[in-house]
């Protein structure tokens, strides 16, 4: 991956410390604009700067281009990967599904819907998005592998398909909320338990 895909977290502005409040305001401005209905293509550095109350130079000191800014905004939506207890695959899967959600889950669902068309058209953006999501997916794979090894999950479990079965409903719930018929606060437990009816040993 080229230097143009370096994330904001990995860069430091030369000669001056990073301002965490400015970073947060800029990333939140990106998410707010997209949640309001702007496509990823329509979001501009100018509109983000105006929304965040900063100058364009402040943004360019942190991100080399709009694509890197968009991906860091996605990263901020997801939050950190949680510490897992490792007691059971069920508990760890619930923890991961829960960590991928927030009180802004429906707003972030709109952001995802705006970003998807751009991911289909832009190979570089898709690779950057993959770099953000793959570490989380690998943690989920490891949970499933441990579950298989311990006998909690069936030995012939298709790990990649199981990942899709976890991520697809999560995306739909983010987009449609309670219209899916599943209460938001119960979603992680309901999803994992439904999956385990077929995946459990």
């Amino acid at each position: 991956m080229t230097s143009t895909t370096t994330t904001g977290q990995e860069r430091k502005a030369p000669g001056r410390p990073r301002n965490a409040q400015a970073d947060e305001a800029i990333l939140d401005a990106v998410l707010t604009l997209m949640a309001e209905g702007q496509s990823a293509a329509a979001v501009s550095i100018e509109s983000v700067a105006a929304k965040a109350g900063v100058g364009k130079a402040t943004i360019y000191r942190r991100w080399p281009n709009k694509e890197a800014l968009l991906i860091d905004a996605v990263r901020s939506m997801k939050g950190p990967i949680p510490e897992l207890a490792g007691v059971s695959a069920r508990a760890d899967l619930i923890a991961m599904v829960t960590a991928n959600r927030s009180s802004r889950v429906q707003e972030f669902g709109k952001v995802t819907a705006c970003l998807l068309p751009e991911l289909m058209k832009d190979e570089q953006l898709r690779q950057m998005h993959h770099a953000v999501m793959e570490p989380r997916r690998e943690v989920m794979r490891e949970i499933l592998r441990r579950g298989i090894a311990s006998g909690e999950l069936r030995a012939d479990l298709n790990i990649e398909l199981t990942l899709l079965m976890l991520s697809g409903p999560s995306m739909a719930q983010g987009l449609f909320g309670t219209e899916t018929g599943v209460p938001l606060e119960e979603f992680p437990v309901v999803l994992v338990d439904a999956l385990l009816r077929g995946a459990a040993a």
Side-chain angles (χ1 to χ4, degrees):
M1 196 170 292
T2 65
S3 60
T4 60
T5 62
T6 306
T7 64
Q9 283 84 350
E10 295 167 343
R11 289 187 309 276
K12 293 182 180 178
R16 67 176 66 197
R18 289 288 296 270
N19 183 324
Q21 286 186 324
D23 288 3
E24 184 177 350
I26 292 165
L27 294 173
D28 192 65
V30 175
L31 298 175
T32 299
L33 287 169
M34 295 179 72
E36 290 173 351
Q38 287 197 29
S39 68
V43 172
S44 65
I45 296 296
E46 290 80 5
S47 63
V48 172
K51 193 78 169 177
V54 301
K56 289 192 296 181
T58 300
I59 297 177
Y60 281 120
R61 279 197 297 269
R62 290 158 167 79
W63 292 275
N65 51 47
K66 189 179 79 171
E67 289 74 20
L69 175 57
L70 290 174
I71 291 303
D72 268 5
V74 171
R75 191 189 306 276
S76 73
M77 274 198 309
K78 294 298 182 181
I81 296 175
E83 293 288 335
L84 300 174
V87 175
S88 72
R90 177 182 183 272
D92 285 351
L93 289 173
I94 290 172
M96 284 297 294
V97 174
T98 301
N100 286 338
R101 308 173 68 74
S102 76
S103 59
R104 300 171 67 183
V105 61
Q106 288 188 271
E107 177 185 356
F108 290 165
K110 295 176 183 177
V111 173
T112 300
C114 288
L115 188 61
L116 285 175
E118 302 307 313
L119 294 178
M120 297 301 99
K121 293 185 295 184
D122 188 323
E123 177 63 26
Q124 183 186 38
L125 190 60
R126 187 160 63 250
Q127 289 180 2
M128 294 168 71
H129 183 265
H130 177 79
V132 170
M133 300 306 297
E134 188 57 22
R136 309 183 82 89
R137 289 171 57 82
E138 185 55 32
V139 171
M140 298 282 269
R141 289 188 188 99
E142 185 55 34
I143 294 170
L144 297 174
R145 293 186 194 111
R146 288 201 310 267
I148 293 170
S150 69
E152 185 180 355
L153 303 179
R154 53 192 297 170
D156 62 348
L157 185 70
N158 185 318
I159 289 178
E160 296 304 319
L161 180 59
T162 303
L163 288 180
L164 288 176
M165 293 170 71
L166 285 165
S167 60
S170 294
M171 184 178 295
Q173 183 78 355
L175 289 171
F176 302 113
T178 54
E179 293 176 31
T180 61
V182 182
L184 294 176
E185 63 276 7
E186 298 175 12
F187 178 77
V189 173
V190 172
L191 173 62
V192 171
D193 282 347
L195 178 77
L196 290 180
R197 290 190 188 102

